[in-house]
Amino acid sequence: MNMPRFNMNWIYGLVIIALIMLYFTQGSEKSSVKTETGYSDFKTMVMKGYAEKIVVNKYDNTLQMYVKAEHIRDVFHQGVQQTGKSPSVTVAIGSADQVEQFVNKAREEKKFTGKFLYDNSKDGEFFNSLIMNILFFGGIILVWMFIMRRMGGGGVGMGGGGIFNVGKSKAQMYEKGGDLGITFKDVAGQAGAKQEMQEIVDFLKNPQKYTELGGKIPKGALLVGPPGTGKTLLAKAVAGEAGVPFFSMSGSDFVEMFVGVGASRVRDLFEKAKTKAPCIIFIDEIDAVGRARSKNPAMGGNDERENTLNALLTEMDGFGTNSGIITLAATNRADMLDSALMRAGRFDRQIHVDLPDLNERKEIFYVHLKPLKLEQGLDIDFLARQTPGFSGADIANVCNEAALIAARHNREAVGKQDFLDAVDRIIGGLEKKTKVMTEQEKRSIAIHEAGHATISWFTEFANPLVKVSIVPRGRALGAAWYLPEERVLQTKEAMLDEMCSLLGGRAAEELFIGHISTGAMNDLERTTKQAYGMVAYAGMSDKLPNLCYYNQQEYSFQKPYSETTAKIMDDEVLKMVNEQYERAKQILQEHKEGHAQLAQLLVEREVIFADDVEKIFGKRPWTSRAEELLEAQQRAEAEAMAERRAKELEAKQAEDSENKESSEDKGDSKESEAPENA
Ligand code: ADP
C-alpha cells in the first residue's frame, strides 16, 4: 500500500478542524440549559435542598444557582442528557447582602451545604467569546493565505507564490544541467548548430582560455528555426554538456495581467542567475516579448511588452561580459524581433536550426527508434526518404505513432507498414472510412485523383508519385502522395509542371465527367498562390520579367507597384494558369484509356501505388533520371564521408603515437587527451 506522503497541507487541515471542533464544543457547554426565575422561586428551591452551588455576580445583580444532579428533573423537567451536566438557574436579585443573609439562614437549617461564591469578573462570557472569535478568524486567514500561496504557483525553490510574489520570475531552474540528462548525443543531425553550441560549452567550461587572449565571451545566442527542429533540445544539451545551472523560461511567462510585472521578472531572473554564474538562461519563444517595438504609439503599441523588452535589453547589457551568464533564446520568427535585441553585445550569434535533410532525418530516426521494438531488417533509409520536410519533432511523432499503430494491431514488433501508416496519418489525418459517399461521388473522386496521377506521370519535372488514395482523410476526400526531391532551387519548368499536375484533377473532371465540382478547390488555391508567387516575387512571367515585388515589412498597406502593374500581374497569372490547364487537358486526352483504367482500379481498390500506375502506363520516361541523380548524389556523399573518416582516423593515430612518444620521453604522467571533435 502506498501511504500518502506527509506535507504542510495536513497541518493546515488539522488546525482548521481543531478550531472548528473547539468552537462547537465550547458552544455546546455554554448552551447547557439555563433558565431564569424570580427571587421567591429561588428561595423555595434552595429551601427544598436543590442547590449545589450559588454564584453571585455583583455587577449585573444576578446569581447563578447550579442544581444538584438528582434534582435536575424537578427543576428543568428534562433529563441530564438534554440539560447538560451542570445546568443553572439565573435569578435577578435586589442586593448581594440580602442573598447572603438568606444563604446563611439556609445553611443553619441544613437546607444548603454547597459553596457560596462571588463572581468578580465583569462578564466572563464576553472575554471567552472574544478569544473564540479571534481564533476563528485567525483560522480563516490562515486558510486564505494558504490558498493564495497555492495560486501563486511554485517558483524557484520555495520562493514563488503569493500575491506579493508576482514580480518574481517563474523560471524553472535545474541546479545541474546534467539533471536533464540531455547531451549532444541526443541531438541528431544539426552539425552546424551543434558546432556553434559546442563553442558555447567551451566558453562556459574554461572561460580563461578565451579571456586571456583578450577576447570577450559572447553574451547570448539566438536559435532560429522552424518549430520542432530541436532548438530547446540544443539548449538543454548545452547545459548538460557544460554541467552548469540552467534557467528555463518561456517568453510568455513574463507576461501577466499586472502592469510592470514583466520587467520585474526579467530583473529577478537575472538577479537569480547572477548568484549561480556561470550558468545558462534559456528563453523559449522570445518573440512573445522581443517583438519589434512599434514606432507609432497611436497604433496601440503594447506598453507592457515594451517595458519587458527594455528591461531585457538593459539586463543583457548590464552585467560584465565575464560574469558567465549566457543567454540562449529560441524563436521561429527572427524577422519580427527588435533590432536592438539582435545587435552585437546582446544576442551576438544567430544559430540557424533548419529542417533536417535526408541524412539528418536518418540520424534522427536512429535516435527515436532506439526505444522501439523493431521488426528485423527495417530499412531506415527508406523511412528517411518517405519523410521529406519533416522536422525532428514530426519524426519523433512518427516513431511513437507507429508503435501505437503496431500495438493496436497486436503485433510483436513495429514494422514498415506501421511507419507508413503513421506518416500518412501525420500528413493527412486519420482515415475516415465511415464517411458516407455515393457511388457516383466515389467515382468522380477517383477520376479526379487519377487525373493528378496521370499528369504527374507524364510531366518531366513533377515529383515522383508514391500512391493515390480515395479514402477520405481529415478534410480531404482523396489524395495523391508524392516524394518531393529535396531541391534548394526551383526551376520555372518544375513549377509549371507541378501546377499542371495540380490542375490535372479539375481537367479530368471536365473531360471525363462533363461537369466540374468543388473537389478541386484546394488544388486551385495552391495553383493560384504559386502563380502569383512566380509572377510577383520570382520574376518568371513574360511581361514582368526579373522583377520582385517582395515586401519585407509585414504591415504595410501600400502595394509597391502601380495599378497598371497589378493589372498586368493578374493577366499574367490568368494566362499562366490557363496555359497549364490546357496542357493538362491535352495530356489527359492523349492517355485517355490509361486514365480510365487507373480510375477504375481506384474505385475497386481505393489505394493504388506507383507500381500499379507503372503497369498501366509503362515505365515513367523520366523517373530513372531523377532517381539516378539522387543515387549519384548519395553515392558521392557516402564516398566523401568515408574518405573523411579515413583521414580523421589516420590523423588520430598519428597524434596518439606522437603523444605516447612524448610522454614516454619526458616521463610525463599527463594523459593524452583524445581530440574533441573526433
Ligand atoms: P523547438 O525547436 O520547437 O524548440 P524542440 O527542441 O522542443 O523543438 O523539439 C521537440 C522534440 O522533437 C524533441 O523533444 C525531440 O524529441 C525531437 N527532436 C527535434 N529535433 C531533434 C533532433 N535534431 N534530434 C533528435 N530529436 C529531435
Side-chain angles (χ1 to χ4, degrees), residues 182 185-190 194 225-236 282 284-285 330-332 353 356 360 363-365 367-368 391-397:
I182 293 174
K185 269 211 296 301
D186 299 292
V187 189
Q190 308 293 7
K194 253 156 71 173
T229 44
K231 297 182 292 290
T232 315
L233 203 64
L234 268 170
K236 284 182 186 165
F282 176 62
D284 210 350
E285 317 292 352
T331 178
N332 40 30
V353 188
E360 288 178 322
E363 288 179 39
I364 297 175
F365 262 114
V367 169
H368 290 284
S391 69
D394 289 333
I395 293 177
N397 197 5

Side-chain angles (χ1 to χ4, degrees), residues 197 200 219-223 234-236 238-239 246 280-284 286 326-330 347 351:
M197 297 304 250
I200 291 180
K219 284 181 190 164
L222 189 65
L223 293 157
L234 268 170
K236 284 182 186 165
V238 168
F246 181 74
I280 291 175
I281 293 178
F282 176 62
I283 304 173
D284 210 350
I286 196 173
I326 290 190
T327 316
L328 298 178
F347 290 113
I351 300 174

